[in-house]
Amino acid sequence: MSRLFGTDGVRGRANEVLTADLALALSVAAAHVLTETTPGRLRAIVGRDSRASGEFLEAAVVAGLASAGVDVIRVGIVPTPGLAFLVTEMGTDFGVMLSASHNPMPDNGIKFFARGGIKLPDEVEDLIEQEMGQTWVRPTGAEVGRVTDNPELVDRYIHHVVASLGDDRPLAGLKVVLDPANGAASRTAVKAFMSAGATVTAIHNKPDGLNINDNCGSTHIEALQLEVISSGADLGIGLDGDADRCIAVDAHGRVVDGDQILAILAIAMKEDGRLHQNTVVATVMSNLGFFHAMRDNGISVDTTKVGDRYVVESMNANGFTLGGEQSGHVVMNEFATTGDGTLTGLHIAARVVRSGASLADLASVMTKLPQVMINVAGVDRARTNLDQGVVHAVTAAEAELKGTGRVVLRPSGTEPLVRVMVEAETESKAREVAERLAEVVRTRLAL
């Protein structure tokens, strides 16, 4: 049987894979496991994004927790990083977020945060899976959990991200377009940027339960680009459905991705003496141009596997203060325990104001190399780094690029698939090498 928890909680098509029954059982099991390690009566905080399915899944989660004797604070629609913040702010024993992040509306997910707003470790998730379906003594009378609604707590999160900028109204005079993807930050992001002094134009900020991530937000940036240009804004910020990632757009409508955002913030934090050990954390899939920009600015890069959880693990283990992914997950752990798109967007905007430079000028610190990715399906991913034919082909490709590019073969964590990524000075060269390597992988690793 495959593991229920993935790299980012439990996800699936709502009411097909992720049912109310599963949400209920998962919540009860989590309550039992966490009760064993925490004395006394537990308190949990529960939030969701704007998906219609979140309504019945939230009800199931809350019912499961309360039936197991956990007191629940229900805050309603909130960004994932906002839920993580409130776990710490309210001193609860854990939190539960219902969201499938940037995935399409029919999907949903359940993510647990431990005390302190951090993701549960793998071993605790495994214990929760083992506990599911076990017989248990149900509390009765005064021992059942109590449920309270307190959506006003979300305003504490808004205040927190704005206060992280330090100055009073630091974005005054800046024109910003926001696209919160009809998701969890449709109210919070607009309110945060306005509180910080920005003049805000918002698009895709009217969630109806069905339109989250629907051709909008950080994964569909085209409408944001057009609005920035047509409105004469200084920049645009695109978030995903649960607002844990951020992609920016400069005044010319050009995309500024997570690598460029990370580079801008790393240099700013180094100048301010806030970049611990002058090191930033990134994944193996970050563009080679990012690594070159960091080297040229005297900043070291700690490289991890793909996935924001691995970025956070490195940051927590080594005390690093900044990390992120090309997709726009950026973690500033002075202020957040997880990727926070609103927080990231605010700090990018503040850098524009304080530096007096445009976002385009700031992003030019990094020259992106053309990057081509080919997914090769139907192969034995376990032999990716063992098959000598594949290893020799990679070595030959790297020699051919002569230090002006890069090759990364990344086996999928769940599917019989290998991702072939090649960077080179030109897109045609990157594609030529990637297609050649993809054919080697397809032939040598065929199932």
Side-chain angles (χ1 to χ4, degrees):
M1 180 178 173
S2 61
R3 190 171 187 267
L4 183 62
F5 283 90
T7 57
D8 207 22
V10 178
R11 284 193 189 177
R13 195 173 181 88
N15 219 28
E16 182 178 290
V17 175
L18 187 55
T19 63
D21 290 342
L22 177 59
L24 184 74
L26 197 61
S27 302
V28 169
H32 291 167
V33 168
L34 295 170
T35 298
E36 292 174 0
T37 59
T38 308
R41 189 177 177 114
L42 296 189
R43 295 169 65 238
I45 192 159
V46 176
R48 63 181 179 89
D49 69 19
S50 58
R51 292 164 213 268
S53 61
E55 297 167 3
F56 78 79
L57 289 172
E58 176 192 59
V61 166
V62 171
L65 295 177
S67 73
V70 177
D71 291 330
V72 179
I73 304 170
R74 184 166 47 193
V75 296
I77 295 176
V78 62
T80 291
L83 190 281
F85 165 76
L86 288 174
V87 170
T88 300
E89 175 75 1
M90 298 304 296
T92 62
D93 299 291
F94 64 101
V96 187
M97 181 68 192
L98 293 149
S99 175
S101 190
H102 61 283
N103 286 18
M105 181 276 295
D107 293 346
N108 216 321
I110 301 177
K111 182 188 300 185
F112 292 91
F113 287 95
R115 180 180 284 275
I118 60 174
K119 293 180 182 179
L120 292 182
D122 289 348
E123 54 269 24
V124 175
E125 291 179 341
D126 291 339
L127 288 174
I128 292 172
E129 284 197 38
Q130 293 167 21
E131 183 68 23
M132 289 178 66
Q134 301 297 315
T135 57
W136 56 292
V137 178
R138 298 172 184 272
T140 58
E143 298 304 312
V144 301
R146 304 299 301 273
V147 181
T148 57
D149 290 306
N150 198 344
E152 292 79 15
L153 288 177
V154 178
D155 287 335
R156 296 196 190 186
Y157 163 70
I158 298 171
H159 174 77
H160 167 71
V161 292
V162 174
S164 74
L165 297 174
D167 303 331
D168 181 38
R169 295 179 63 79
L171 305 187
L174 199 69
K175 293 180 65 177
V176 179
V177 179
L178 295 179
D179 182 349
N182 292 315
S186 292
R187 180 180 73 89
T188 55
V190 174
K191 192 169 181 179
F193 272 81
M194 291 179 67
S195 296
T199 299
V200 176
T201 299
I203 61 175
H204 303 128
N205 68 322
K206 293 179 170 56
D208 61 9
L210 307 178
N211 58 4
I212 186 171
N213 296 324
D214 186 10
N215 290 314
C216 57
S218 62
T219 54
H220 298 279
I221 213 78
E222 300 81 12
L224 179 61
Q225 292 173 293
L226 291 173
E227 186 63 35
V228 168
I229 294 171
S230 65
S231 66
D234 296 298
L235 58 92
I237 298 294
L239 308 174
D240 64 336
D242 72 335
D244 65 351
R245 66 172 69 183
C246 164
I247 296 294
V249 171
D250 70 23
H252 306 287
R254 294 180 296 230
V255 173
V256 178
D257 69 13
D259 284 341
Q260 294 166 295
I261 289 171
L262 203 55
I264 293 167
L265 293 178
I267 292 169
M269 289 174 65
K270 183 190 176 192
E271 290 177 2
D272 293 343
R274 292 166 40 229
L275 190 66
H276 183 63
Q277 295 183 28
N278 284 337
T279 299
V280 62
V281 183
T283 77
V284 294
M285 298 304 282
S286 283
N287 193 277
L288 186 59
F290 169 79
F291 293 94
H292 289 170
M294 295 298 92
R295 177 199 63 202
D296 295 344
N297 283 274
I299 296 172
S300 299
V301 181
D302 184 72
T303 308
T304 74
K305 295 189 291 185
V306 173
D308 63 315
R309 72 180 303 156
Y310 302 112
V311 171
V312 172
E313 282 177 6
S314 172
M315 294 176 70
N316 291 341
N318 300 291
F320 299 136
T321 47
L322 179 68
E325 297 185 282
Q326 190 179 76
S327 61
H329 280 116
V330 175
V331 184
M332 306 177 71
N333 68 3
E334 289 177 85
F335 312 113
T337 58
T338 188
D340 189 329
T342 305
L343 178 74
T344 301
L346 287 168
H347 280 262
I348 284 291
R351 177 63 171 172
V352 168
V353 174
R354 290 166 181 165
S355 67
S358 68
L359 180 57
D361 289 338
L362 294 174
S364 69
V365 69
M366 173 185 152
T367 301
K368 291 173 63 176
L369 270 69
Q371 192 178 71
V372 172
M373 174 98 71
I374 299 176
N375 291 333
V376 185
V379 295
D380 183 359
R381 57 190 170 90
R383 293 194 293 119
T384 303
N385 299 316
L386 301 176
D387 184 89
Q388 288 305 301
V390 173
V391 172
H392 290 156
V394 170
T395 301
E398 289 173 335
E400 181 181 343
L401 295 172
K402 299 176 183 175
T404 62
R406 189 168 60 125
V407 175
V408 177
L409 264 60
R410 186 166 71 90
S412 168
T414 56
E415 304 172 79
L417 181 146
V418 173
R419 295 179 174 88
V420 176
M421 190 276 283
V422 176
E423 292 168 336
E425 290 181 311
T426 65
E427 184 169 358
S428 60
K429 184 63 176 179
R431 186 162 299 282
E432 173 198 333
V433 175
E435 288 176 349
R436 192 190 321 144
L437 283 174
E439 185 57 35
V440 172
V441 170
R442 191 175 291 112
T443 302
R444 298 283 305 189
L445 305 184
L447 290 171

